[in-house]
Structures are given as structure tokens and as C-alpha cells.
Amino acid sequence: MPDGALPPCAVPLSQGTVRAARDRIALRRRAVAIWSAGVLAILAAGVAARATGAPGGLAGGGVLAGLAAWRLLQDRFMRTTGGIPVLTWHSVSRDAGWLPWAEATSVTPETLDRQLALLRRMGCQSMDSVEFVRRRMAGATVPPETVILHFDDGYLDNWVAAAPLLARHDMRASLFVSLDFIAPPRPVPATILDPGAVLRWDGYLSWDELRALDGGAFGGAFGIEPHGVDHGRVPVGPRVVDHVDPGNWRRLAWVQWAAMPGDKHDWYVSDAPPARGHGTPVHESAPALAAPAWSPGGGEDEAAYSARLLRDLLACRQAFLTRLGRAPNIFCWPQNRASDAGRAIAAETGYLATTAGHGTNRADEDPAILSRVHVGERVAGFRWPAADDLFLRATILGFRGNHYWYFPVLALSLLRRAVTALRVAGGGA
């Protein structure tokens, strides 16, 4: 694309594909709801028959026969094929307390080790993201046991723990980094494979480490791709939803990042807000690359928003050419949110694909859009490895199209909400 030229961003990209993917989600939910309603109706009929004096054996047999018939009738709606899971992790740490969002985005090395072992037991085979995209674009078959692995944000612990564990399980993943958070040069950090080493868990990766990873360190466990420049958010309206205070400024880090142009790798070491002080109003916001910014003076119009998108996408491309000696291939939208304008500009600037899809990466979906699902731990609201393993298994099989696995996912999600509500009611964090 010529310098200064902008693609026709007013034209939505792949709207049909996005609608089709959302329709599939709606169909899955409808299938699960209908299946559940039928099961409940059959059970209720059995209870009613027993209450009206029908023999227990007859009522029970009728229920079993009804459930079997309902299963045969609805099974074809509860099973589809073709979905390829893209699994996403962030931090992998034994001490993630420096991250204000650690509970939602960090897993321990022991958990990741167990999760990767589970993938192996399930017969999953990891495929490089770029190879996956190129295969889909060429219309080539992707083996049904394929999984794609992603790690976001470029944390140092991905060198310390994630890369060695991926190498141990002979798996490959993509690591997405934001330019403003890349750390300065330093001695090579120790890893969990170094016996007796003092491990550092806080902070972000440096360009030296990223070059080593991209060049094949740890058996080629990671390929490096961009995650934007500043991983920020922008105000999208005048409504004030919070104010910066001593208890929330780290959780609202984007307010600080927005006022810190350039390097942000050590933003978390300060004891006080480094850029926006206590009392600063926090406006309703959205991921910076997903929406035009609002300001009291009027904010961005479509042209200004498109120009900002173009600057970030080109900045990432140039940084990769300069630092890694190659152009990037896949752009990962921060916080998994994208716009049609962003996707169009990414395609025009040479990216093969971007993230933040709403589908399941089936052959009939746009190969330039990757749909992902987050992987975590403590899915029940407390440490319970068996529940974490069940949730991951159910997530993978559900993503592939077996909707029966939606039920354990739903049950564990509801349990987590209940546990969280009890903690809040009890004054816990």
C-alpha cells in the first residue's frame, strides 16, 4: 500500500462470515436449549406419572425410553464437525502478584504442564499459526486433531516457564508482543529447567529474547507476532465510570499507559500512579484499536481513527523488519476486540490474518480471521486441578462441535460465579 494511502475502511470486511459464525453460536445455544428442555419435559412427565399412581418400574422405563428416543432425535443437532480450537494463555508464573489481572490471566507452570500433557492424551497436535492460516487460505485439509496455541502480552515468564514446557511436550505456539512493553537488554534469564536457579517472574521479554525465540530457541517453541503498540484503551464517551485511587490504579493501568508515550515495560514498579494521579476521572472505554476515541472536543472521525490504526499496524511491521529481520504475519488485537476498519487495514498492510473472530475456525469461515478461546485455571473459583482439566477437555471438544460438552463448561462457570459471589459477600477479594 502506498505511503499515506488508506483502504476503503467504510466497507465492512467479511461481514457475511462474522454473521455466519454468530449464527452458528446461536444455533448451538438453541440446540442445547431444545435438548435440555426435552430432557426436563421427559423427566417431569415421569415424575407426574409416578405421582398419579403409575408403577415405579413403568414410569422409570418410560423415562428411559423417552430419553433414548429424544437423544436419537436430537443428536444430529448436538454434534457438528470441523472446528479447530485456538487456545490462548497469557502469563505462566509461580508468582504473578505483580499483575493486577493475574487471577484471570495467569496459570502456574505446573498447571500448564498438566494442560499440555492433557492435549497429548487427547491426541491433539499443535500447528504453527502461520501454517494453519496458509493451509486454510489454500483450501488444504487441516487434520481434525489440530490445535493452535497462543500466548499473549510477551511476559518474561513465557521464557522462564512456557517455552521450556512447550519444548518438553514438543509443541509450538505463537507469542504476541506489544512494542511499548518490550524490556531493555539484560543477561539471559534462568528457566525452570535450570536446577537451583533463582527465577524472576515479573516483567516483559526483551528484543534479544524475542529474537532467540523467533530464531528457534527451546526447539522452536515460539514464533513471535505483534500485539499492537501500547495495548491501551481509549475513552468512547463522556460517562465517568470510576476515578483513579490508591486501590485501583494498577487494575486501571490503561489510564496510566494512555499518558505514557513510548516505553512502558516497568510501569508496574511504581508505588503510585506514574502518569495520572489519584482522582483522575475514568471514562467509559474500549480497546484502543477497536473503536474511535472520544474526547470533550469531539474525538476521532473515521479518517482519524483509520490513520491511528494504520500507524500502529505499520509500526509493528517496521519493528519486526528491523528487530527480527522479517515481516509479521498475524496481528493479535488487544483484548480480543477488532473492527472492520482494522481488519481491512491489516490486510492492506500485509498481515495474513488477525484474531478476534466469533467462529470456530471451520473450513467455511474466513481464513484471515482466527477465533480463539482463553485457557485458565481455578475454573471452579478455587484450586481444583480435576475441574480445570475437565473444563479444558470440554472446551476443546465443544469448540470442535460436540455440544454435549457445553454442559460441564456451563456447570463449572456457574460454580465459579457462585464462589466469587460468596467471596464478595464475605468481604474477600
Side-chain angles (χ1 to χ4, degrees), residues 304-328:
Y305 171 50
S306 295
R308 178 163 61 81
L309 284 166
L310 180 64
R311 283 196 301 272
D312 271 30
L313 288 160
L314 288 178
C316 290
R317 184 176 177 84
Q318 185 57 52
F320 270 57
L321 286 168
T322 301
R323 297 286 193 162
L324 301 183
R326 65 167 180 84

Side-chain angles (χ1 to χ4, degrees), residues 133-199:
V133 170
R134 291 190 187 280
R135 282 198 185 196
R136 294 179 73 204
M137 287 182 167
T141 300
V142 177
E145 65 273 13
T146 298
V147 292
I148 313 300
L149 311 182
H150 286 178
F151 288 75
D152 287 3
D153 298 341
Y155 297 122
L156 174 61
D157 59 45
N158 287 176
W159 173 286
V160 175
L165 290 173
L166 287 166
R168 176 187 294 174
H169 292 277
D170 192 25
M171 292 190 173
R172 181 170 173 80
S174 293
L175 175 61
F176 297 95
V177 299
S178 299
L179 302 185
D180 280 0
F181 295 86
I182 295 175
R186 62 185 161 214
V188 177
T191 78
I192 57 172
L193 301 183
D194 299 327
V198 176
L199 303 179

Side-chain angles (χ1 to χ4, degrees), residues 57 65 113 140 286:
D113 193 21

Side-chain angles (χ1 to χ4, degrees), residues 242-302:
D242 211 336
H243 290 82
V244 174
D245 64 41
N248 69 13
W249 76 264
R250 292 177 186 274
R251 176 174 55 82
L252 297 171
W254 73 268
V255 177
Q256 308 303 318
W257 299 344
M260 297 170 62
D263 181 32
K264 303 174 180 61
H265 80 277
D266 59 353
W267 69 271
Y268 63 94
V269 302
S270 176
D271 292 329
R276 297 291 189 192
H278 299 151
T280 300
V282 180
H283 293 271
E284 54 187 326
S285 63
L289 300 185
W294 168 88
S295 72
E300 293 177 323
D301 58 16
E302 183 181 337

Side-chain angles (χ1 to χ4, degrees), residues 32-111:
V32 168
I34 292 172
W35 190 90
S36 302
V39 169
L40 291 174
I42 293 167
L43 293 175
V47 171
R50 189 73 179 93
T52 57
L58 181 61
V63 167
L64 292 176
L67 290 175
W70 186 244
R71 167 77 185 273
L72 288 173
L73 181 65
Q74 291 295 314
D75 191 64
R76 66 190 180 97
F77 299 107
M78 293 293 288
R79 297 176 191 267
T80 57
T81 58
I84 301 294
V86 179
L87 307 175
T88 305
W89 289 264
H90 293 77
S91 164
V92 183
S93 176
R94 290 185 182 139
D95 183 9
W98 69 281
L99 279 174
W101 38 84
E103 185 174 352
T105 62
S106 187
V107 302
T108 66
E110 292 72 22
T111 293

